[in-house]
Amino acid sequence: MLAKEERSHAALLATLNRQLDAGHMFWNIGHFSEEAIAEEYAFIRIAVNLARSSTPSEEQCLTTALHIEKSIIDSKFYATVKSDSNDFDHVCQALSRATKIHLQKLWDKAAEVGTDYSQSVSRSK
């Protein structure tokens, strides 16, 4: 179920990427520091390399997913960035709603597994 949602999110993100490739303008990107973006990218790259080179544990998968989803919500990316694309706001609203629901499901899964993730990921919303 969670993996299916991730694939759905990826398809929506690909829509945003196609809008950028089509030459649509995006505003407020500068709101996010290059350093913060680079750090998040590095975190994701490490997680991807780990997943490709070994089989990560369920705890590693949940911790990584919680970190990524929470950072998207906390940054308010979908509310901050604007575009001249007619579809952009619609896609961002859909992604924002879906990400919040997905994050709650991840917290529920973490609770179900019974592992304390508070050391690595704060639950504040």
Side-chain angles (χ1 to χ4, degrees), residues 16-51:
L16 296 182
N17 193 46
R18 284 191 299 276
Q19 291 173 2
L20 182 62
D21 288 345
H24 289 284
M25 299 296 296
F26 290 83
W27 293 278
N28 298 334
I29 295 287
H31 172 78
F32 306 99
S33 76
E34 288 183 35
E35 181 181 337
I37 293 169
E39 287 174 8
E40 193 64 23
Y41 182 78
F43 176 86
I44 292 168
R45 180 53 91 205
I46 289 167
V48 167
N49 288 338
L50 174 66

Side-chain angles (χ1 to χ4, degrees), residues 43-63:
F43 176 86
I44 292 168
R45 180 53 91 205
I46 289 167
V48 167
N49 288 338
L50 174 66
R52 286 183 177 154
S53 65
S54 64
T55 303
S57 69
E58 184 174 38
E59 180 176 346
Q60 288 171 315
C61 291
L62 282 168
T63 300

Side-chain angles (χ1 to χ4, degrees), residues 70-87:
K70 187 175 177 314
S71 70
I72 292 169
I73 296 298
D74 287 351
S75 74
K76 298 182 177 19
F77 175 84
Y78 299 124
T80 302
V81 177
K82 302 296 177 197
S83 175
D84 65 348
S85 166
N86 293 330
D87 294 330

Side-chain angles (χ1 to χ4, degrees), residues 6 9 65-73 99 102-103 106:
E6 287 296 338
H9 292 177
L66 284 165
H67 172 86
I68 293 168
E69 301 289 341
K70 187 175 177 314
S71 70
I72 292 169
I73 296 298
T99 301
H102 190 70
L103 181 59
L106 288 167

